[in-house]
Amino acid sequence: MLPKTDGMLRLVLAAVPASLALIAPLAAGAQDSISDELHADPRAAAQVIVPRTVEEAARIAKVTAPTTDFTKPERYETHPAGAATQFDVLGRDAFAIPSANMSFERELDFQIGNGLFKKLWASAPSSTLASDGLGPLYNARSCQVCHVNDGRGHPPESAEDDGVSMFLRLSIPDEASDLDAETLRYLANAPEPTYGHQLQDKSLSGIPAEGQMRVTYTDVPVALGDGTQVSLRAPSYEVADLGYGPLHPDAMLSPRVAPQMIGLGLLEAIPEADILALADPDDADGDGISGRANQVWDQEAQTMMLGRFGLKAGAGSVRGQSADAFHSDIGISTSLHPAGAGECTAAQTACLAAPDGNTPAQQNLEASDPVLDLTSFYARNLAVPARRNVDDPKVLRGKRMFYDAGCTACHTPKFVTHRLENQLEQSFQLIWPYTDMLLHDMGSGLADGRPEWQATGNEWRTPPLWGIGMTQAVSGHTFFLHDGRARNLLEAILWHGGEATASRETVRLMPAADRAALLKFLESL
């Protein structure tokens, strides 16, 4: 970590274009600070936040206000991640580039983190103590296996496709659980008693896997306003080859496709107050949009905090999300999840009895804090690619359609991040993620019926749209939504319901030329 000196901070920020980083000198003592987030935000121990001044707050409000001019691009719209935006690569590796404003010394840490992200873990005991501890139950041997090229995963495309970048979350209703109320307070939901919170479809030799996800689709015809017929596919899920007996009769299944990895550190650096200001849980303004914040237990901070990451905003920090993935997806212990047996439950005795990789050399863990920190640093600093074709007349027309359809009510275009002394890559950047980071009721069509912390079975976090137009180039497909059911952007829009019904209908009934322009705008993000 760089030393926290004002001189170092000024030296680095001097190299960042002031128009992109919104750099302004802080008054000595910052007597007129309007932020108390150093005390209110539990992430403050990790993020060294410099409070905003009244002057800065006024400038930020002006620069993040929604545009009303669609005749030309907005200033700096080509830089969705501010000075961290990468312009160098637009092919399959477009999501694998570090923040453009990263120092050489920190880029070395990024590359080590990249190696850990790609590392294939082995079963214990192994001759390579730093790489053993896999499983015993798991979904993948490395992070990269699910997040190929740091992009989004996809559902199984055939009977031969094992769907490694997709899995099933499991739980039962709290009232059906034998766990006491105090324990349930610190869990996102009650685990399925035999299989835990996630179905692991792979295992070490001699230990049964938990089961195999099966998905089938039913066609759902939709007519567009111009008479064009579109066929959506509605999935249904089941578990075959159960290794430890039947599921609980009230088991809830939620399919999850691995999301893209870009811009996570910038999303983490958005001030909590700016996100909460967008929440309207009771729809007080009567616009039909009722964004809600998820509040989650953070194991590291030992407190409830704003949920930001995951498809239902079930994790509060990049480090916490990384530790959760090590634990549930690969079966690797960290200081936040120290059990060497990973997700093994009491019913899985062979799993619990298997050797683990917790060793003194790794702090009696399988992945020590330096391993977790470097992996988190890598995840925090995967850069967002530059926008393309922002001045194309068709893209500008599509941008107007996006605004006119009310899409920005949830997909908030712009934020300015915290000024951070110890995370210079994310510090005080004007960013364009197109998300409000809040939960929204998306209707029964997309509902998984499975709550997560405060999120209901109908609610999902608004996904960021930056980089969405690069999905084909990076991931080799265009499957979208939490379970990859949408095969293109139009299908993804047509699945919107609940609070997004009015916007969906506006798009469905659009003249074909306007709809094509809207899709071209999304492809430019």
Side-chain angles (χ1 to χ4, degrees):
M1 182 178 293
L2 293 178
K4 305 173 198 172
T5 65
D6 290 341
M8 178 64 74
L9 183 62
R10 286 195 295 270
L11 176 63
V12 175
L13 293 183
V16 179
S19 54
L20 295 179
L22 296 176
I23 302 303
L26 288 172
Q31 293 288 324
D32 54 352
S33 169
I34 63 169
S35 173
D36 61 356
E37 291 182 71
L38 277 173
H39 305 288
D41 190 340
R43 292 173 303 125
Q47 292 183 330
V48 183
I49 300 169
V50 179
R52 290 175 178 174
T53 66
V54 171
E55 179 188 19
E56 284 178 339
R59 288 197 299 122
I60 289 167
K62 183 176 180 179
V63 79
T64 57
T67 186
T68 57
D69 182 1
F70 301 97
T71 63
K72 61 182 184 297
E74 294 176 73
R75 200 175 186 191
Y76 312 121
E77 198 169 358
T78 54
H79 294 66
T85 305
Q86 74 90 0
F87 284 79
D88 296 334
V89 179
L90 292 180
R92 67 189 302 272
D93 294 325
F95 290 177
I97 309 300
S99 303
N101 55 351
M102 182 178 288
S103 68
F104 175 75
E105 292 78 12
R106 285 165 75 87
E107 190 169 341
L108 293 177
D109 285 345
F110 178 88
Q111 296 302 338
I112 296 172
N114 185 16
L116 293 168
F117 193 81
K118 294 178 178 179
K119 179 167 77 166
L120 293 173
W121 292 84
S123 59
S126 167
S127 58
T128 308
L129 297 180
S131 295
D132 71 0
L134 175 68
L137 299 171
Y138 61 98
N139 294 104
R141 289 184 60 195
S142 77
C143 308
Q144 182 77 12
V145 167
C146 292
H147 302 277
V148 179
N149 300 329
D150 304 295
R152 68 181 71 235
H154 61 84
E157 297 181 60
S158 68
E160 292 73 37
D161 186 346
D162 64 2
V164 69
S165 57
M166 183 180 184
F167 58 79
L168 287 174
R169 288 275 171 83
L170 306 173
S171 62
I172 61 173
D174 283 1
E175 56 271 19
S177 175
D178 292 334
L179 298 176
D180 61 81
E182 183 65 17
T183 299
L184 290 172
R185 283 183 57 199
Y186 300 100
L187 298 175
N189 34 45
E192 202 283 337
T194 302
Y195 293 91
H197 276 120
Q198 186 164 310
L199 184 77
Q200 277 89 23
D201 57 359
K202 297 177 178 60
S203 62
L204 302 181
S205 177
I207 298 173
E210 291 187 321
Q212 303 298 316
M213 178 186 69
R214 297 285 185 261
V215 55
T216 56
Y217 295 100
T218 303
D219 289 339
V220 178
V222 175
L224 304 182
D226 57 7
T228 302
Q229 292 290 318
V230 175
S231 181
L232 306 182
R233 56 177 193 168
S236 60
Y237 296 91
E238 61 180 350
V239 182
D241 305 325
L242 284 164
Y244 300 89
L247 289 167
H248 189 283
D250 296 324
M252 296 179 283
L253 313 181
S254 182
R256 304 294 174 90
V257 164
Q260 64 185 27
M261 297 286 294
I262 56 173
L264 299 183
L266 292 165
L267 296 176
E268 188 178 44
I270 298 172
E272 181 175 307
D274 291 357
I275 296 172
L276 295 180
L278 299 171
D280 185 15
D282 300 318
D283 191 21
D285 59 9
D287 67 352
I289 307 299
S290 307
R292 297 196 310 124
N294 206 353
Q295 295 292 324
V296 307
W297 175 256
D298 185 79
Q299 185 67 17
E300 184 172 21
Q302 289 289 293
T303 188
M304 298 297 289
M305 64 190 296
L306 174 68
R308 295 173 185 252
F309 302 106
L311 293 162
K312 286 181 178 278
S317 69
V318 172
R319 193 172 190 268
Q321 179 81 331
S322 299
D324 290 348
F326 269 127
H327 173 65
S328 298
D329 301 349
I330 313 178
I332 296 297
S333 64
T334 65
S335 57
L336 300 186
H337 300 286
E343 269 248 311
C344 297
T345 69
Q348 297 165 338
T349 54
C351 181
L352 291 172
D356 63 50
N358 284 1
T359 58
Q362 293 289 317
Q363 300 174 323
N364 289 317
L365 302 166
E366 293 165 337
S368 63
D369 279 340
V371 170
L372 178 58
D373 290 341
L374 287 164
T375 306
S376 303
F377 182 78
Y378 173 76
R380 191 175 285 121
N381 278 286
L382 285 163
V384 180
R387 280 280 308 278
R388 286 91 48 216
N389 307 316
V390 294
D391 55 356
D392 184 313
K394 192 171 182 180
V395 169
L396 290 169
R397 179 180 179 182
K399 182 180 177 182
R400 178 187 289 275
M401 297 301 105
F402 187 82
Y403 277 66
D404 287 351
C407 302
T408 57
C410 301
H411 291 283
T412 303
K414 294 174 280 186
F415 290 94
V416 172
T417 61
H418 273 307
R419 194 189 289 274
L420 300 169
E421 287 191 2
N422 62 334
Q423 291 179 214
L424 302 181
E425 298 84 7
Q426 288 81 45
S427 181
F428 213 49
Q429 302 297 321
L430 170 62
I431 62 173
W432 307 65
Y434 287 90
T435 175
D436 60 7
M437 306 288 284
L438 298 173
L439 299 170
H440 293 275
D441 183 341
M442 296 301 293
S444 58
L446 286 178
D448 66 350
R450 180 180 180 270
E452 186 171 333
W453 298 109
Q454 280 77 45
T456 70
N458 278 30
E459 288 180 317
W460 300 94
R461 183 201 66 159
T462 305
L465 296 182
W466 53 13
I468 198 168
M470 296 296 298
T471 302
Q472 176 66 59
V474 171
S475 301
H477 65 77
T478 54
F479 294 113
F480 299 109
L481 300 178
H482 66 279
D483 55 4
R485 70 178 68 185
R487 292 163 291 193
N488 52 57
L489 289 170
L490 179 58
E491 287 189 19
I493 295 169
L494 294 175
W495 271 112
H496 283 48
E499 297 174 40
T501 299
S503 294
R504 179 200 69 204
E505 287 300 282
T506 298
V507 174
R508 187 178 70 83
L509 299 174
M510 274 181 183
D514 287 346
R515 191 165 54 249
L518 169 64
L519 296 175
K520 191 168 182 64
F521 164 69
L522 293 174
E523 290 165 356
S524 78
L525 295 179

